[in-house]
């Protein structure tokens, strides 16, 4: 019996290995291999930067008591999540002598610090250890779900390369620092995948959690609306059925996501007793870039560009927006399906409408990663490899620029 069983095991192992190399695998193996390889690269780059900075006494925002690589990985915005995890949100907004709101924890949403706090209580671990672990595992999940999403709207070739370009991107190191990014990406990619598969209850559940993880989930509500319109039009043309047992859940999920996406400013107002608590908190971060401003939708990019570059900056924004419209209307992008197209376009519009573009912009662009499955990035192997090398080459540049000269 042994002589028969052993070759069988070896045969199965060989089959699994050949399947991995030739792309015939489960929806877990390939993206997790890509994720693991990318974590080796990002960890080596971050650790190198940490050691060089420590040896040369460079200033960075790590916690300096018992300084370590983990505390380095919990720098910048992670310190706000640590404050929330350990102390919660302030009931009174901090203000300066003139009564203007100062930067505070209300700019950061509660799901990530709540999960970290729960695990800190359970394990006794520090914020930095638990925060990095949660973010890293969520990054693995985001890679798996992104792979499955692109696979659902494309093919395995596109899915593998899109996942690799995402994991090895210039901002790939953010998938393992104590930020909420990787958790948001896991939830949003999962919501989009559920929408493509028409599992509307899952879309609603993941979307609501994402709405309290980071801003931007209104884009997922737009994707649901696009999905509704597309199915409705196809049904009117007799191309596919769209029964009321599907229409009602789509309508309900869209409304729920829209409400959830607008809920956090209301929560901040109720808790602090200040009607514009969240908006004033967000605007407090603008002061160092463009001075004190009143918010108007669709103006932040022009305000930033005009402040720093004058008329040339305004023209540059127009060119960038025109290029974005051209890109999103390309056939290869539209081929990713109405859900991906609707979400990524709506998310891009959200950034233009409300976000002041500065060093956080590369990080905030990460949710549009499903676009990496388009021909612009993976039409041929040579093109995909070129983009992969560009991502790996720019990652140490991004770490130096964002971690030491600015902050991500």
């Amino acid at each position: 019996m042994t002589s028969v069983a052993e070759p069988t095991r070896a045969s199965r192992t060989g089959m699994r290995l050949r399947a991995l190399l030739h792309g015939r695998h489960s929806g877990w193996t390939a993206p997790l291999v890509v994720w693991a390889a990318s974590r080796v690269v990002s960890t080596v780059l971050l650790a190198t930067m940490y050691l060089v900075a420590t040896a040369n006494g460079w200033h960075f925002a790590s916690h300096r008591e018992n300084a370590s690589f983990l505390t380095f990985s919990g720098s910048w915005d992670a310190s706000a999540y640590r404050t929330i995890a350990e102390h919660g949100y302030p009931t009174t907004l901090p203000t300066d002598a003139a009564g203007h709101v100062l930067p505070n924890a209300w700019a950061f949403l509660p799901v990530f610090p709540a999960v970290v706090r729960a695990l800190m209580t359970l394990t006794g671990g520090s914020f930095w250890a638990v925060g990095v672990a949660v973010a890293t595992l969520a990054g693995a999940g985001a890679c798996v779900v992104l792979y499955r999403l692109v696979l659902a709207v494309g093919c395995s070739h596109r899915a593998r390369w899109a996942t690799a370009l995402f994991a090895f991107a210039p901002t790939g190191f953010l998938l393992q620092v104590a930020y909420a990014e990787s958790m948001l990406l896991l939830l949003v990619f999962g919501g989009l995948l559920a929408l493509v598969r028409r599992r509307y209850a899952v879309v609603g559940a993941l979307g609501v959690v994402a709405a309290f993880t980071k801003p931007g989930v209104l884009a997922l509500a737009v994707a649901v609306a696009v999905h509704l319109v597309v199915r409705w039009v196809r049904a009117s043309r007799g191309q596919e059925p769209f029964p009321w047992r599907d229409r009602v859940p789509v309508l309900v999920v869209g409304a729920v996501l829209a409400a959830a996406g607008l809920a956090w400013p209301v929560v901040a107002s109720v808790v602090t007793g200040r009607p514009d608590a969240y908006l004033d908190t967000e605007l407090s971060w603008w002061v160092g870039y463009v001075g004190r401003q009143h918010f108007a939708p669709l103006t932040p990019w022009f305000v930033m560009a005009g402040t720093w570059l004058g008329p040339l900056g305004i023209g540059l924004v127009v060119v960038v927006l025109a290029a974005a419209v051209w890109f999103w209307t390309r056939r290869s992008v539209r081929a990713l399906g109405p859900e991906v197209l609707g979400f990524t376009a709506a998310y891009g519009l959200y950034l233009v409408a409300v976000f002041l573009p500065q060093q956080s912009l590369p990080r905030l662009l990460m949710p549009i990663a499903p676009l990496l499955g388009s021909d612009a990035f993976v039409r041929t192997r040579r093109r995909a490899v070129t983009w992969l090398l560009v991502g790996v080459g720019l990652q140490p540049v991004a770490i130096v620029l964002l971690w030491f000269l600015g902050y991500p």
Side-chain angles (χ1 to χ4, degrees):
M1 292 296 291
T2 302
S3 61
V4 175
E6 290 302 325
T8 300
R9 293 192 196 98
S11 176
R12 288 176 180 173
T13 302
M15 289 173 62
R16 292 191 188 100
L17 180 59
R18 287 192 296 273
L20 174 60
L21 293 175
H22 294 285
R24 298 187 300 273
H25 44 69
S26 72
W28 295 86
T29 309
L32 286 178
V33 168
V34 169
W35 167 80
S38 70
R39 290 317 90 204
V40 171
V41 171
S42 292
T43 301
V44 168
L45 292 174
L46 283 171
T48 300
M49 292 300 104
Y50 167 72
L51 292 173
V52 170
T54 300
N56 290 279
W58 294 358
H59 173 74
F60 50 86
S62 300
H63 188 68
R64 302 314 295 165
E65 293 179 12
N66 302 317
S68 68
F69 181 63
L70 283 178
T71 59
F72 172 72
S73 299
S75 298
W76 301 117
D77 282 3
S79 62
Y81 290 119
R82 178 195 173 205
T83 297
I84 297 167
E86 296 180 350
H87 307 291
Y89 291 89
T91 56
T92 301
L93 296 182
T95 58
D96 61 17
H100 298 126
V101 174
L102 298 173
N104 64 86
W106 282 104
F108 303 89
L109 278 63
V111 169
F112 178 76
V115 171
V116 173
R117 180 183 177 86
L119 292 175
M120 288 168 60
T121 302
L122 182 65
T123 64
S126 68
F127 167 82
W128 299 285
V130 176
V132 169
V134 169
T136 303
L137 291 175
C143 287
V144 171
V145 180
L146 176 63
Y147 173 88
R148 292 189 171 193
L149 173 61
V150 179
L151 183 63
V153 298
C155 62
S156 59
H157 162 80
R158 294 180 182 275
R160 289 195 301 274
W161 278 114
T163 306
L165 296 181
F166 168 70
F168 286 96
T171 53
F173 65 95
L174 289 168
L175 295 177
Q176 67 184 73
V177 300
Y179 276 34
E181 251 63 33
S182 55
M183 183 175 287
L184 173 73
L185 295 167
L186 171 60
L187 294 166
V188 167
F189 295 163
L192 278 174
L193 177 59
L195 184 60
V196 169
R197 292 179 174 177
R198 301 180 180 180
R199 298 176 181 176
Y200 303 121
V202 177
V203 178
L206 294 178
V208 168
V209 178
F212 293 93
T213 303
K214 281 190 68 66
V217 175
L218 286 175
L220 187 57
V222 173
V224 172
V226 170
H227 177 86
L228 172 67
V229 171
V230 169
R231 287 203 66 185
W232 205 302
V233 170
R234 288 174 180 172
S236 68
R237 295 175 178 175
Q239 296 174 333
E240 67 171 77
F242 189 23
W244 280 103
R245 66 175 180 272
D246 283 349
R247 296 184 187 186
V248 172
V250 174
L251 289 168
V252 170
V253 166
V256 168
L257 291 183
L262 297 170
W264 188 243
V266 177
V267 174
S269 298
V270 171
V271 174
T272 64
R274 185 161 180 154
D276 295 325
Y278 178 72
L279 178 60
D280 289 344
T281 295
E282 288 288 355
L283 290 176
S284 68
W285 263 276
W286 291 23
V287 175
Y289 300 99
V290 294
R292 201 161 298 282
Q293 297 281 337
H294 292 288
F295 174 74
L298 298 174
T299 63
W301 286 44
F302 294 98
V303 170
M304 183 70 166
T307 299
W308 288 89
L309 298 175
L312 177 63
I314 301 297
L316 179 61
V317 170
V318 172
V319 170
V320 169
L321 295 180
V325 171
W326 171 80
F327 177 79
W328 261 284
T329 54
R330 295 184 66 181
R331 178 179 298 178
S332 64
V333 175
R334 290 186 280 113
L336 293 173
E339 296 83 6
V340 169
L341 182 66
F343 170 78
T344 55
Y347 185 81
L349 180 60
Y350 153 77
L351 291 180
V352 173
V354 306
F355 176 69
L356 190 74
Q358 21 85 5
Q359 65 267 27
S360 294
L361 182 60
R363 167 170 62 91
L364 296 180
L365 286 171
M366 293 176 77
I368 66 172
L371 295 177
L372 294 172
S374 70
D375 282 350
F377 301 99
V378 298
R379 182 177 181 178
T380 64
R381 180 182 179 86
R382 176 178 294 182
R383 182 177 298 183
V385 169
T386 300
W387 280 113
L388 183 66
L389 293 176
V390 168
V392 173
L394 287 179
Q395 191 167 152
V397 176
I399 291 173
V400 172
L401 292 178
L402 297 178
W403 220 249
F404 297 105
L405 300 181
Y407 57 91

